[in-house]
Amino acid sequence: MKITPSARILSMLGEIDFDPWQCVAELIDNSFDDFTEIVRADQPWAGGFKVRVSLPGPAKSSDARLEIADTGRGMSRDILEMAVRAGWSSNDRYDKLGLFGMGFNVATARLGRRTRILTTRPGDPEWIGVEIDLDEIDDDFEATDITEPKNDPHDHGTRIEISKLDGDRADWLRRNANNLRKTLGSVYAWLLENRPFELYVQGVRVKPRRHCRWGEERSITYGAGTKAETIPAYIEIDEKYADADACADCGNWQEPDRSACQRCGGGRLTRRERRLHGWLGVQRHLDKREFGIDFLRNGRKILQWDKRVFDWQNPNDPLSLVDTEYPIELANQGGRLIGEIHLDHVPVVYQKNAFDYGDRGWRAAIEYIRGAGPLQPEKAKRLGYPENESPLGVLYKGYRRNAVGKRHLIPGDGHGPIHDDTRRWAQRFHDGDQRYQTDDVWWEHVESHEARTKRGKLDTAQQDNPTTHDEAAVLEALGLASGSGSTGSPTRADATTTLTEKNRPVTVPVPRAETSQERIERLRADSEVIPELSRDFGLARLGHLTVETRRLSRARLIDEDGQATPVLLVQGRGGSATAFVDPVHEAFAKLGADVTEPLLIEIAAVLRVRADSSTSLSQLVASLRAECLPHTALNAHAVVGEARELLSVIRARMAACVQDEPRRAFQYLSPDEVSSVENDMIANGMVSRTATLGEDGDFVLHAPPLYLVTLLESWPEAFMDGKTFSNPYASLTSRAAARLSLARTAGLLGDVAMLVVHPNADNPLILQRTRLSVRMLDDQLAVGA
């Protein structure tokens, strides 16, 4: 197959500065372009729209390679020959991610010295392709044609295999599977969320990395009285410009109805839409790096967290300095103004990491987003500009400050902002924790801060002694300016008194101790519910107590005598109570006590007093455990039941994880286990499914328990790192650490599986061990897996 230019020039392309992830993205772009054309044609497509990236294996492996495979339409030989030529590009340079035709050559040459491309279309009898080996191709431009047999005539797609890998880039790819997923999940976030495209790296699906922003319904009130205005935390943008003619040869845009391109003289002009659309908003947390605007072209991010929209230079003074207008207040904490803007009509540079900033379309977009004048109202007024009413100007006006509370949508704890907490919640948002997908947690802490602040002001204003009101606090609570006061030496336990020049006493309050109710609210705000211990506790002869048990995050538990306590039980109304648990108390951290032990003691003590019972506390605790928490008892049937239930959940999750490669999972079954699977399926009325055993992952649902251990140990990357189990494996750079992490999970799974296979009710030590294994393995289940 003829390729151009020469191998020497192709080798030089490998010196162009592309990061490893950019090289991978260049090849993914071509697949997504193909998918986009299929979607636009609205044609049915068997097999879905999948791209799989397989990273290089161990460094010492001689056949280490990178592979990118898709389920697209495939190519004919003529199209394939053009596609591998440096400089070739299709006629459509506007609707595609692969913009320059050089991307394929640059990416492959930078990654390795040998590239094999194999492609096939539905109905083709075989895979056809070409092998480009930069060490063997001469200046005759001839690359080796290759073919491979095709097992299924319906198969379709393209596969790119790169070997003779560059050492540094291959090493980066080996060590950074998770980072690559995160980067690609951000770059292609819009496409992965709004198109039926699926992207996998090392068998793990890449999830779109969405923005953790405030919801559309959130807003603040800016100003007061007749000047008050509502500023939303989310602003949609959709600005259409006049259609223009685009040149397919050079990319120039120009006024319509001209016979030739004004830049290159070409005649391939097409009338196209020009549109700026997307949104600007406010992030739920401050971040030192992750704020700014994402700019996209055809669904792929070209700029991420771009902050140039916050810069302004006086156009009347070209020599003036560029002013960064955001963030200014507490800039060391970072910013939170964000956005996602689509500019499909603006050209980008060949590396796809910048737009053509000299293009008129780019300049017009920036002016629309941030306005012509300064964002800062005072500066604008001083320089003769009107108030900045651009979308960013409106957001800037309302949210440039980071003051805690409702005025600027900053969560707090009654004393100040809780930026560390909000950043931690944001990470839970990105981890997929359902509780943090909406902004409710953030909003609750905005409201609670306001309530605590208001209550604190009123409490300070209303001291016990009505003759010694703190006038400043009263005025502040009423929303009026407070006057200045004097200070002096204390003369009372609850106030200090000084004498002014006219000998009038002025009182200054001493800081007030936290009330019981305030303490409970503080503990509640710093805790989360333990569902399995939140229930009715009681006995027929003593009555019942409805308890909500909560585990503290940061606060420590101190009883009425100032002593640390592992559990604090606070009684409420109507036979209710809240139990707070301090997980770092020495009873748990050092002595290994189970939470249920002190919890049941506290509950038994309350029930005993209420019923005026003479039953010993120890007997009540034992009765409560047997009645209300039977699963905590060392009961063989209960432990085996827990093990079976957990194994059922794990089995279902592991089956889901192998759906994309069921045959690989199937090969780990022994002949006896295959028979066991078939027997179980027949017993469950699934006789017809046995004929296609191994074609999907459902066979795992019927496999013997110990097979799950074999499957995990043989193919750990399919189930670790948050897929079925949260423990890391592929994400660990140390192989020893990875083996240790796997061994821990596999050992626990083995304990559970062994008990299900061989229930042993006569050995309490085995039951105790398995019960602990069940709980520890349950803790390792990935959230949302």
Side-chain angles (χ1 to χ4, degrees), residues 516-697:
S516 297
Q517 186 60 34
E518 288 172 341
R519 179 176 63 156
I520 294 171
E521 291 182 3
R522 173 174 58 80
L523 295 177
R524 179 175 288 276
D526 184 57
S527 59
E528 59 183 5
V529 173
I530 306 177
E532 64 272 19
L533 295 179
S534 297
R535 59 179 68 198
D536 286 344
F537 289 91
L539 299 170
R541 64 182 185 277
L542 296 182
H544 290 78
L545 195 62
T546 302
V547 179
E548 179 186 63
T549 306
R550 305 181 67 91
R551 181 186 292 108
L552 293 176
S553 299
R554 296 177 304 163
R556 305 281 69 86
L557 282 179
I558 305 297
D559 63 17
E560 299 294 340
D561 297 324
Q563 300 296 316
T565 181
V567 174
L568 178 66
L569 187 68
V570 180
Q571 297 186 63
R573 297 178 179 178
S576 65
T578 302
F580 296 102
V581 177
D582 184 353
V584 302
H585 189 277
E586 65 176 3
F588 309 123
K590 294 183 179 180
L591 303 179
D594 186 88
V595 172
T596 57
E597 297 173 14
L599 174 63
L600 290 176
I601 291 173
E602 296 291 336
I603 294 173
V606 170
L607 294 176
R608 185 186 185 201
V609 170
R610 283 174 43 177
D612 193 21
S613 172
S614 59
T615 307
S616 69
L617 203 58
S618 58
Q619 179 57 44
L620 289 180
V621 169
S623 299
L624 283 172
R625 181 184 290 276
E627 180 71 23
C628 306
L629 299 173
H631 62 282
T632 66
L634 193 59
N635 178 285
H637 295 293
V639 176
V640 172
E642 288 182 49
R644 290 186 186 278
E645 183 178 351
L646 177 60
L647 207 62
S648 176
V649 173
I650 292 172
R651 190 191 299 274
R653 295 187 178 186
M654 292 182 75
C657 287
V658 304
Q659 287 292 356
D660 294 323
E661 295 185 75
R663 293 181 180 178
R664 178 173 177 180
F666 188 77
Q667 70 179 332
Y668 301 121
L669 282 170
S670 68
D672 289 344
E673 289 172 333
V674 172
S675 298
S676 176
V677 171
E678 291 175 336
N679 291 337
D680 190 76
M681 294 179 73
I682 293 172
N684 284 276
M686 304 172 67
V687 179
S688 60
R689 294 294 305 277
T690 60
T692 58
L693 204 60
E695 293 186 6
D696 61 42

Side-chain angles (χ1 to χ4, degrees), residues 441-458:
V441 173
W442 285 261
W443 178 246
E444 288 170 5
H445 284 77
V446 170
E447 289 190 309
S448 65
H449 172 84
E450 293 286 343
R452 294 178 188 183
T453 302
K454 181 177 180 181
R455 183 171 58 251
K457 291 178 180 179
L458 292 175

